[in-house]
Amino acid sequence: MRVWRQLTDLVARHGSAALITVHDVKGSAPREVGAHMVVRPDGAFHGTIGGGQLELRMLDIAREMLAAGRGPARIVDQALGPDLGQCCGGRVKILIETFDGRDLEDLAPLVSAEAEGGLFEVECRMEEGRVRREIGSAVGDDRWAGWHETQGEVRTPVLIFGAGHVGRALVLSLAPLPFSVRWLDDRENAFPSHLPENARAVRLRDPEAEIAQAGPSSFILVMTHDHPLDMAITAAALKRGFSYVGLIGSATKRARFEKRFRELGLSDETIRSLVSPIGLPGITDKNPAVIAASVTAQLLQVREHGSPAQNLSPPAASNDT
């Protein structure tokens, strides 16, 4: 979630909003330092600090603070076990702030930094009961006398070639997750009229150029309407050596492609790195939504650990025939 964009949008639409942040954690807790929730005046919210009684109590406090109008920030020191009956057993400090139209100018630099992508450093301190934030300007300055926040998010780039049923389901599955999706298809009118915020639809004209221009940390998924096109894209991606190159298809399709890859001079080790069929082992349902969920879980695994499960286990059933 892009916290500062969400916060400013809610202030602009509803007149005010609250920001709930996990400020400090000792021991076991549902979420890490820096987890956020953004709360509307009517109590609706985006994000989570872990659910359970902790979240319910903080939402109640945020709603009370919004009802009272823009005021000082509040830090709630909360033991999870004895106070809330949560089994985590740790202790958290939760920072709750309220904002209205008077804060939009101060929030604008945070919105801009967030939109650029990646992480950025923010220095914070209390001034007259409210939190003042400066982007990196006071780092290392002992006179600042506040605390440090790391804001933003790192989104892994994903190139999805193909806007068929599985491609569409996969784009929706990736929408709330830390991925930046470049969705490619060579057919006119292949894409839906509305896309998730983290996805961009592109008319595919030069597949090899797309692969050549992709960043080295990109994940590649190939699922076009045309097998020769699948072949060309997959071969180019394997030559680049991305950490994840996935090809939708059956074991028969993979075998045929492997033969052609060898003719093109790809090594056996490179060919073995291809993930095909795509998705987690053991999930055999061919419903596009199920395939998308399985592939999404696999991408999250590779993002965190660097290895897809399918490379560690026998292949699952085919994605198509």
Side-chain angles (χ1 to χ4, degrees), residues 100-142:
D100 65 16
R102 288 169 284 182
D103 300 300
L104 291 176
E105 184 176 348
D106 290 336
L107 293 173
L110 296 167
V111 174
S112 296
E114 189 177 57
E116 291 176 4
L119 303 177
F120 59 99
E121 307 305 318
V122 179
E123 294 297 313
C124 311
R125 69 179 177 192
M126 286 289 188
E127 287 189 354
E128 298 179 352
R130 295 184 59 81
V131 180
R132 176 185 167 191
R133 289 179 172 87
E134 296 285 346
I135 300 175
S137 64
V139 174
D141 186 348
D142 293 337

mmCIF file of all heavy atoms in Angstrom, residues 100-142:
data_model
loop_
_atom_site.group_PDB
_atom_site.id
_atom_site.type_symbol
_atom_site.label_atom_id
_atom_site.label_comp_id
_atom_site.label_asym_id
_atom_site.label_seq_id
_atom_site.Cartn_x
_atom_site.Cartn_y
_atom_site.Cartn_z
ATOM 1 N N ASP A 100 -5.774 16.667 8.336
ATOM 2 C CA ASP A 100 -6.842 17.279 7.551
ATOM 3 C C ASP A 100 -6.202 18.114 6.443
ATOM 4 O O ASP A 100 -5.005 17.990 6.163
ATOM 5 C CB ASP A 100 -7.818 18.079 8.422
ATOM 6 C CG ASP A 100 -7.191 19.288 9.103
ATOM 7 O OD1 ASP A 100 -6.082 19.720 8.690
ATOM 8 O OD2 ASP A 100 -7.807 19.820 10.044
ATOM 9 N N GLY A 101 -7.012 18.960 5.805
ATOM 10 C CA GLY A 101 -6.518 19.704 4.647
ATOM 11 C C GLY A 101 -5.318 20.575 4.931
ATOM 12 O O GLY A 101 -4.526 20.885 4.014
ATOM 13 N N ARG A 102 -5.125 20.980 6.174
ATOM 14 C CA ARG A 102 -3.972 21.811 6.514
ATOM 15 C C ARG A 102 -2.644 21.069 6.368
ATOM 16 O O ARG A 102 -1.581 21.688 6.310
ATOM 17 C CB ARG A 102 -4.110 22.315 7.961
ATOM 18 C CG ARG A 102 -5.185 23.366 8.153
ATOM 19 C CD ARG A 102 -5.459 23.630 9.626
ATOM 20 N NE ARG A 102 -6.243 22.552 10.227
ATOM 21 C CZ ARG A 102 -6.654 22.563 11.500
ATOM 22 N NH1 ARG A 102 -6.301 23.573 12.295
ATOM 23 N NH2 ARG A 102 -7.383 21.582 11.970
ATOM 24 N N ASP A 103 -2.706 19.742 6.304
ATOM 25 C CA ASP A 103 -1.474 18.948 6.244
ATOM 26 C C ASP A 103 -1.078 18.538 4.827
ATOM 27 O O ASP A 103 -0.004 17.970 4.626
ATOM 28 C CB ASP A 103 -1.655 17.669 7.079
ATOM 29 C CG ASP A 103 -1.948 17.979 8.529
ATOM 30 O OD1 ASP A 103 -1.105 18.624 9.173
ATOM 31 O OD2 ASP A 103 -3.025 17.587 9.015
ATOM 32 N N LEU A 104 -1.919 18.826 3.837
ATOM 33 C CA LEU A 104 -1.654 18.314 2.493
ATOM 34 C C LEU A 104 -0.340 18.833 1.921
ATOM 35 O O LEU A 104 0.392 18.094 1.252
ATOM 36 C CB LEU A 104 -2.818 18.667 1.563
ATOM 37 C CG LEU A 104 -4.129 17.924 1.849
ATOM 38 C CD1 LEU A 104 -5.238 18.421 0.933
ATOM 39 C CD2 LEU A 104 -3.939 16.420 1.698
ATOM 40 N N GLU A 105 -0.017 20.075 2.174
ATOM 41 C CA GLU A 105 1.240 20.626 1.646
ATOM 42 C C GLU A 105 2.447 19.910 2.256
ATOM 43 O O GLU A 105 3.415 19.596 1.555
ATOM 44 C CB GLU A 105 1.314 22.126 1.934
ATOM 45 C CG GLU A 105 2.552 22.788 1.340
ATOM 46 C CD GLU A 105 2.570 24.289 1.559
ATOM 47 O OE1 GLU A 105 1.528 24.851 1.972
ATOM 48 O OE2 GLU A 105 3.625 24.907 1.328
ATOM 49 N N ASP A 106 2.389 19.624 3.556
ATOM 50 C CA ASP A 106 3.503 18.931 4.207
ATOM 51 C C ASP A 106 3.593 17.471 3.763
ATOM 52 O O ASP A 106 4.682 16.880 3.768
ATOM 53 C CB ASP A 106 3.333 18.987 5.730
ATOM 54 C CG ASP A 106 3.544 20.387 6.288
ATOM 55 O OD1 ASP A 106 4.237 21.188 5.626
ATOM 56 O OD2 ASP A 106 3.010 20.679 7.368
ATOM 57 N N LEU A 107 2.470 16.871 3.384
ATOM 58 C CA LEU A 107 2.470 15.476 2.962
ATOM 59 C C LEU A 107 2.945 15.304 1.524
ATOM 60 O O LEU A 107 3.371 14.200 1.143
ATOM 61 C CB LEU A 107 1.066 14.878 3.107
ATOM 62 C CG LEU A 107 0.537 14.725 4.535
ATOM 63 C CD1 LEU A 107 -0.924 14.278 4.493
ATOM 64 C CD2 LEU A 107 1.367 13.731 5.324
ATOM 65 N N ALA A 108 2.878 16.357 0.720
ATOM 66 C CA ALA A 108 3.196 16.244 -0.705
ATOM 67 C C ALA A 108 4.592 15.667 -0.982
ATOM 68 O O ALA A 108 4.736 14.808 -1.864
ATOM 69 C CB ALA A 108 3.021 17.599 -1.390
ATOM 70 N N PRO A 109 5.650 16.093 -0.268
ATOM 71 C CA PRO A 109 6.965 15.494 -0.544
ATOM 72 C C PRO A 109 7.012 13.994 -0.251
ATOM 73 O O PRO A 109 7.711 13.245 -0.937
ATOM 74 C CB PRO A 109 7.915 16.264 0.396
ATOM 75 C CG PRO A 109 7.210 17.546 0.685
ATOM 76 C CD PRO A 109 5.757 17.200 0.700
ATOM 77 N N LEU A 110 6.276 13.548 0.756
ATOM 78 C CA LEU A 110 6.232 12.113 1.064
ATOM 79 C C LEU A 110 5.514 11.348 -0.042
ATOM 80 O O LEU A 110 5.933 10.251 -0.416
ATOM 81 C CB LEU A 110 5.537 11.896 2.408
ATOM 82 C CG LEU A 110 6.244 12.497 3.622
ATOM 83 C CD1 LEU A 110 5.311 12.508 4.833
ATOM 84 C CD2 LEU A 110 7.516 11.747 3.948
ATOM 85 N N VAL A 111 4.442 11.933 -0.571
ATOM 86 C CA VAL A 111 3.725 11.313 -1.682
ATOM 87 C C VAL A 111 4.636 11.183 -2.897
ATOM 88 O O VAL A 111 4.684 10.146 -3.562
ATOM 89 C CB VAL A 111 2.455 12.120 -2.028
ATOM 90 C CG1 VAL A 111 1.776 11.555 -3.279
ATOM 91 C CG2 VAL A 111 1.482 12.121 -0.862
ATOM 92 N N SER A 112 5.395 12.240 -3.180
ATOM 93 C CA SER A 112 6.294 12.228 -4.340
ATOM 94 C C SER A 112 7.402 11.198 -4.177
ATOM 95 O O SER A 112 7.720 10.453 -5.111
ATOM 96 C CB SER A 112 6.902 13.617 -4.545
ATOM 97 O OG SER A 112 5.900 14.561 -4.850
ATOM 98 N N ALA A 113 7.997 11.144 -2.986
ATOM 99 C CA ALA A 113 9.072 10.172 -2.743
ATOM 100 C C ALA A 113 8.553 8.752 -2.861
ATOM 101 O O ALA A 113 9.214 7.869 -3.412
ATOM 102 C CB ALA A 113 9.681 10.411 -1.365
ATOM 103 N N GLU A 114 7.368 8.526 -2.363
ATOM 104 C CA GLU A 114 6.753 7.206 -2.427
ATOM 105 C C GLU A 114 6.485 6.803 -3.874
ATOM 106 O O GLU A 114 6.684 5.653 -4.268
ATOM 107 C CB GLU A 114 5.448 7.245 -1.632
ATOM 108 C CG GLU A 114 4.751 5.935 -1.403
ATOM 109 C CD GLU A 114 3.518 6.145 -0.533
ATOM 110 O OE1 GLU A 114 2.633 6.959 -0.909
ATOM 111 O OE2 GLU A 114 3.428 5.512 0.522
ATOM 112 N N ALA A 115 6.036 7.757 -4.697
ATOM 113 C CA ALA A 115 5.704 7.468 -6.090
ATOM 114 C C ALA A 115 6.924 7.092 -6.911
ATOM 115 O O ALA A 115 6.813 6.388 -7.921
ATOM 116 C CB ALA A 115 5.009 8.673 -6.718
ATOM 117 N N GLU A 116 8.096 7.548 -6.495
ATOM 118 C CA GLU A 116 9.325 7.222 -7.226
ATOM 119 C C GLU A 116 9.705 5.756 -7.084
ATOM 120 O O GLU A 116 10.495 5.231 -7.859
ATOM 121 C CB GLU A 116 10.472 8.103 -6.738
ATOM 122 C CG GLU A 116 10.319 9.569 -7.130
ATOM 123 C CD GLU A 116 11.426 10.440 -6.561
ATOM 124 O OE1 GLU A 116 12.354 9.875 -5.928
ATOM 125 O OE2 GLU A 116 11.361 11.665 -6.733
ATOM 126 N N GLY A 117 9.137 5.070 -6.094
ATOM 127 C CA GLY A 117 9.427 3.662 -5.881
ATOM 128 C C GLY A 117 10.635 3.453 -5.006
ATOM 129 O O GLY A 117 11.473 4.345 -4.842
ATOM 130 N N GLY A 118 10.735 2.272 -4.417
ATOM 131 C CA GLY A 118 11.847 1.958 -3.540
ATOM 132 C C GLY A 118 11.657 2.536 -2.154
ATOM 133 O O GLY A 118 10.625 3.128 -1.816
ATOM 134 N N LEU A 119 12.679 2.345 -1.328
ATOM 135 C CA LEU A 119 12.643 2.812 0.052
ATOM 136 C C LEU A 119 13.275 4.194 0.162
ATOM 137 O O LEU A 119 14.172 4.540 -0.599
ATOM 138 C CB LEU A 119 13.398 1.829 0.959
ATOM 139 C CG LEU A 119 12.898 0.382 0.944
ATOM 140 C CD1 LEU A 119 13.778 -0.478 1.830
ATOM 141 C CD2 LEU A 119 11.443 0.297 1.396
ATOM 142 N N PHE A 120 12.804 4.968 1.112
ATOM 143 C CA PHE A 120 13.430 6.257 1.401
ATOM 144 C C PHE A 120 13.408 6.490 2.904
ATOM 145 O O PHE A 120 12.563 5.960 3.623
ATOM 146 C CB PHE A 120 12.757 7.406 0.641
ATOM 147 C CG PHE A 120 11.288 7.595 0.927
ATOM 148 C CD1 PHE A 120 10.849 8.560 1.831
ATOM 149 C CD2 PHE A 120 10.334 6.823 0.271
ATOM 150 C CE1 PHE A 120 9.506 8.744 2.082
ATOM 151 C CE2 PHE A 120 8.972 6.995 0.519
ATOM 152 C CZ PHE A 120 8.552 7.960 1.420
ATOM 153 N N GLU A 121 14.366 7.277 3.350
ATOM 154 C CA GLU A 121 14.551 7.495 4.785
ATOM 155 C C GLU A 121 13.876 8.786 5.224
ATOM 156 O O GLU A 121 13.956 9.810 4.541
ATOM 157 C CB GLU A 121 16.044 7.553 5.125
ATOM 158 C CG GLU A 121 16.851 6.359 4.623
ATOM 159 C CD GLU A 121 16.296 5.041 5.098
ATOM 160 O OE1 GLU A 121 15.908 4.968 6.277
ATOM 161 O OE2 GLU A 121 16.231 4.099 4.295
ATOM 162 N N VAL A 122 13.216 8.717 6.379
ATOM 163 C CA VAL A 122 12.499 9.871 6.926
ATOM 164 C C VAL A 122 12.934 10.070 8.367
ATOM 165 O O VAL A 122 12.988 9.113 9.143
ATOM 166 C CB VAL A 122 10.970 9.653 6.852
ATOM 167 C CG1 VAL A 122 10.230 10.840 7.453
ATOM 168 C CG2 VAL A 122 10.530 9.417 5.417
ATOM 169 N N GLU A 123 13.249 11.301 8.712
ATOM 170 C CA GLU A 123 13.543 11.663 10.100
ATOM 171 C C GLU A 123 12.308 12.310 10.715
ATOM 172 O O GLU A 123 11.651 13.149 10.092
ATOM 173 C CB GLU A 123 14.725 12.625 10.166
ATOM 174 C CG GLU A 123 16.036 12.006 9.714
ATOM 175 C CD GLU A 123 16.461 10.848 10.595
ATOM 176 O OE1 GLU A 123 16.418 11.003 11.825
ATOM 177 O OE2 GLU A 123 16.805 9.797 10.049
ATOM 178 N N CYS A 124 11.972 11.915 11.943
ATOM 179 C CA CYS A 124 10.735 12.350 12.596
ATOM 180 C C CYS A 124 11.044 12.946 13.971
ATOM 181 O O CYS A 124 11.970 12.497 14.651
ATOM 182 C CB CYS A 124 9.780 11.171 12.779
ATOM 183 S SG CYS A 124 9.532 10.173 11.316
ATOM 184 N N ARG A 125 10.233 13.919 14.361
ATOM 185 C CA ARG A 125 10.301 14.422 15.737
ATOM 186 C C ARG A 125 8.967 15.061 16.092
ATOM 187 O O ARG A 125 8.183 15.439 15.222
ATOM 188 C CB ARG A 125 11.432 15.417 15.919
ATOM 189 C CG ARG A 125 11.253 16.752 15.228
ATOM 190 C CD ARG A 125 12.433 17.661 15.498
ATOM 191 N NE ARG A 125 12.311 18.929 14.794
ATOM 192 C CZ ARG A 125 13.308 19.790 14.678
ATOM 193 N NH1 ARG A 125 14.492 19.519 15.200
ATOM 194 N NH2 ARG A 125 13.133 20.935 14.039
ATOM 195 N N MET A 126 8.706 15.158 17.369
ATOM 196 C CA MET A 126 7.486 15.793 17.846
ATOM 197 C C MET A 126 7.676 17.304 17.931
ATOM 198 O O MET A 126 8.671 17.778 18.477
ATOM 199 C CB MET A 126 7.113 15.253 19.227
ATOM 200 C CG MET A 126 6.533 13.846 19.222
ATOM 201 S SD MET A 126 4.872 13.818 18.511
ATOM 202 C CE MET A 126 4.414 12.114 18.878
ATOM 203 N N GLU A 127 6.733 18.024 17.375
ATOM 204 C CA GLU A 127 6.697 19.483 17.501
ATOM 205 C C GLU A 127 5.277 19.889 17.864
ATOM 206 O O GLU A 127 4.343 19.663 17.090
ATOM 207 C CB GLU A 127 7.122 20.168 16.200
ATOM 208 C CG GLU A 127 8.604 20.066 15.913
ATOM 209 C CD GLU A 127 9.020 20.928 14.735
ATOM 210 O OE1 GLU A 127 8.131 21.525 14.075
ATOM 211 O OE2 GLU A 127 10.228 20.997 14.454
ATOM 212 N N GLU A 128 5.119 20.430 19.063
ATOM 213 C CA GLU A 128 3.810 20.858 19.544
ATOM 214 C C GLU A 128 2.782 19.734 19.459
ATOM 215 O O GLU A 128 1.619 19.930 19.073
ATOM 216 C CB GLU A 128 3.330 22.094 18.773
ATOM 217 C CG GLU A 128 4.257 23.297 18.954
ATOM 218 C CD GLU A 128 3.782 24.505 18.171
ATOM 219 O OE1 GLU A 128 2.828 24.354 17.368
ATOM 220 O OE2 GLU A 128 4.352 25.583 18.367
ATOM 221 N N GLY A 129 3.244 18.537 19.814
ATOM 222 C CA GLY A 129 2.356 17.396 19.895
ATOM 223 C C GLY A 129 2.110 16.671 18.586
ATOM 224 O O GLY A 129 1.458 15.620 18.581
ATOM 225 N N ARG A 130 2.625 17.189 17.480
ATOM 226 C CA ARG A 130 2.425 16.536 16.190
ATOM 227 C C ARG A 130 3.774 16.096 15.617
ATOM 228 O O ARG A 130 4.815 16.639 15.975
ATOM 229 C CB ARG A 130 1.713 17.476 15.204
ATOM 230 C CG ARG A 130 0.289 17.797 15.672
ATOM 231 C CD ARG A 130 -0.458 18.637 14.650
ATOM 232 N NE ARG A 130 -0.559 17.968 13.359
ATOM 233 C CZ ARG A 130 -1.463 17.035 13.076
ATOM 234 N NH1 ARG A 130 -2.340 16.635 13.997
ATOM 235 N NH2 ARG A 130 -1.503 16.493 11.872
ATOM 236 N N VAL A 131 3.723 15.109 14.731
ATOM 237 C CA VAL A 131 4.947 14.560 14.161
ATOM 238 C C VAL A 131 5.358 15.385 12.945
ATOM 239 O O VAL A 131 4.572 15.580 12.011
ATOM 240 C CB VAL A 131 4.754 13.086 13.741
ATOM 241 C CG1 VAL A 131 6.051 12.541 13.136
ATOM 242 C CG2 VAL A 131 4.326 12.242 14.934
ATOM 243 N N ARG A 132 6.594 15.840 12.984
ATOM 244 C CA ARG A 132 7.172 16.505 11.815
ATOM 245 C C ARG A 132 8.100 15.522 11.125
ATOM 246 O O ARG A 132 8.932 14.887 11.770
ATOM 247 C CB ARG A 132 7.943 17.758 12.232
ATOM 248 C CG ARG A 132 8.646 18.441 11.059
ATOM 249 C CD ARG A 132 9.492 19.602 11.503
ATOM 250 N NE ARG A 132 10.385 20.038 10.436
ATOM 251 C CZ ARG A 132 11.387 20.901 10.597
ATOM 252 N NH1 ARG A 132 11.616 21.422 11.798
ATOM 253 N NH2 ARG A 132 12.152 21.238 9.576
ATOM 254 N N ARG A 133 7.971 15.419 9.808
ATOM 255 C CA ARG A 133 8.793 14.480 9.032
ATOM 256 C C ARG A 133 9.595 15.236 7.989
ATOM 257 O O ARG A 133 9.063 16.106 7.301
ATOM 258 C CB ARG A 133 7.923 13.422 8.344
ATOM 259 C CG ARG A 133 7.301 12.409 9.308
ATOM 260 C CD ARG A 133 6.426 11.402 8.580
ATOM 261 N NE ARG A 133 5.993 10.331 9.480
ATOM 262 C CZ ARG A 133 4.916 10.389 10.240
ATOM 263 N NH1 ARG A 133 4.153 11.474 10.217
ATOM 264 N NH2 ARG A 133 4.594 9.387 11.034
ATOM 265 N N GLU A 134 10.871 14.849 7.880
ATOM 266 C CA GLU A 134 11.761 15.407 6.858
ATOM 267 C C GLU A 134 12.420 14.244 6.136
ATOM 268 O O GLU A 134 12.940 13.320 6.768
ATOM 269 C CB GLU A 134 12.833 16.299 7.487
ATOM 270 C CG GLU A 134 12.294 17.539 8.173
ATOM 271 C CD GLU A 134 11.856 18.611 7.183
ATOM 272 O OE1 GLU A 134 12.226 18.494 6.002
ATOM 273 O OE2 GLU A 134 11.146 19.540 7.598
ATOM 274 N N ILE A 135 12.414 14.288 4.821
ATOM 275 C CA ILE A 135 12.988 13.203 4.027
ATOM 276 C C ILE A 135 14.506 13.311 4.025
ATOM 277 O O ILE A 135 15.082 14.129 3.317
ATOM 278 C CB ILE A 135 12.449 13.211 2.591
ATOM 279 C CG1 ILE A 135 10.937 13.048 2.597
ATOM 280 C CG2 ILE A 135 13.095 12.097 1.765
ATOM 281 C CD1 ILE A 135 10.292 13.159 1.245
ATOM 282 N N GLY A 136 15.140 12.517 4.854
ATOM 283 C CA GLY A 136 16.587 12.368 4.840
ATOM 284 C C GLY A 136 17.391 13.600 5.189
ATOM 285 O O GLY A 136 18.605 13.546 5.266
ATOM 286 N N SER A 137 16.749 14.755 5.430
ATOM 287 C CA SER A 137 17.501 15.992 5.571
ATOM 288 C C SER A 137 18.313 16.060 6.851
ATOM 289 O O SER A 137 19.323 16.746 6.912
ATOM 290 C CB SER A 137 16.556 17.194 5.524
ATOM 291 O OG SER A 137 15.659 17.162 6.624
ATOM 292 N N ALA A 138 17.862 15.347 7.883
ATOM 293 C CA ALA A 138 18.545 15.461 9.174
ATOM 294 C C ALA A 138 19.269 14.187 9.560
ATOM 295 O O ALA A 138 19.647 14.008 10.706
ATOM 296 C CB ALA A 138 17.534 15.828 10.253
ATOM 297 N N VAL A 139 19.449 13.269 8.605
ATOM 298 C CA VAL A 139 20.115 12.020 8.924
ATOM 299 C C VAL A 139 21.517 12.308 9.451
ATOM 300 O O VAL A 139 22.286 13.036 8.840
ATOM 301 C CB VAL A 139 20.196 11.108 7.674
ATOM 302 C CG1 VAL A 139 21.017 9.863 7.973
ATOM 303 C CG2 VAL A 139 18.796 10.720 7.227
ATOM 304 N N GLY A 140 21.821 11.747 10.594
ATOM 305 C CA GLY A 140 23.140 11.950 11.185
ATOM 306 C C GLY A 140 23.273 13.216 12.002
ATOM 307 O O GLY A 140 24.326 13.483 12.569
ATOM 308 N N ASP A 141 22.232 14.004 12.099
ATOM 309 C CA ASP A 141 22.270 15.247 12.855
ATOM 310 C C ASP A 141 21.738 14.972 14.264
ATOM 311 O O ASP A 141 20.546 14.768 14.459
ATOM 312 C CB ASP A 141 21.421 16.308 12.151
ATOM 313 C CG ASP A 141 21.540 17.678 12.813
ATOM 314 O OD1 ASP A 141 22.080 17.752 13.929
ATOM 315 O OD2 ASP A 141 21.086 18.663 12.203
ATOM 316 N N ASP A 142 22.615 14.992 15.249
ATOM 317 C CA ASP A 142 22.205 14.688 16.620
ATOM 318 C C ASP A 142 21.212 15.700 17.170
ATOM 319 O O ASP A 142 20.495 15.426 18.124
ATOM 320 C CB ASP A 142 23.440 14.631 17.531
ATOM 321 C CG ASP A 142 24.340 13.455 17.189
ATOM 322 O OD1 ASP A 142 23.823 12.482 16.598
ATOM 323 O OD2 ASP A 142 25.539 13.517 17.497
#
